Amino acid sequence: MTNEETKKPKILQGTVVKDGNDKTVVVSVPRFVKHKKYQKYFKKDKRYQAHEEENAYKVGDKVEMSETKPIAKTKRFRVTKKI
């Protein structure tokens, strides 16, 4: 078995921040990072575009998304369920 065959898709949880496009939602995923000098934790957000076929999710919904093959130029995730 090679490393590519055993690789699991990345699963992220976040909040929908934009739903204006057709079949696409923008999901903000927060993470906590430790400052190198001051050793204090702070929150950073990263936004991902995710594919969503039915246009069922609205701004503010908590969702779970998983990594998939590229669907468009910037879409590499697919929304799997609402939390």
Side-chain angles (χ1 to χ4, degrees):
M1 288 186 143
T2 63
N3 194 15
E4 294 175 5
E5 292 178 28
T6 60
K7 188 175 179 181
K8 292 183 181 179
K10 196 182 294 186
I11 297 175
L12 301 174
Q13 294 178 351
T15 307
V16 176
V17 292
K18 186 178 174 186
D19 64 348
N21 299 337
D22 187 33
K23 298 182 182 178
T24 303
V25 291
V26 178
V27 180
S28 177
V29 178
R31 66 186 180 105
F32 282 94
V33 180
K34 191 176 198 179
H35 194 280
K36 290 180 182 178
K37 183 176 179 181
Y38 300 114
Q39 305 299 312
K40 183 175 180 176
Y41 287 94
F42 60 98
K43 186 167 75 167
K44 283 182 121 177
D45 290 342
K46 187 165 182 184
R47 291 181 171 198
Y48 296 95
Q49 289 190 3
H51 184 72
E52 187 260 310
E53 195 70 35
E54 297 86 27
N55 293 325
Y57 301 101
K58 301 299 175 197
V59 174
D61 290 345
K62 303 274 187 195
V63 296
E64 184 177 277
M65 58 185 184
S66 65
E67 192 174 29
T68 183
K69 66 179 185 176
I71 298 167
K73 181 180 176 181
T74 57
K75 287 202 291 189
R76 304 292 190 267
F77 287 89
R78 183 180 304 270
V79 176
T80 54
K81 64 180 177 178
K82 187 175 179 180
I83 300 174

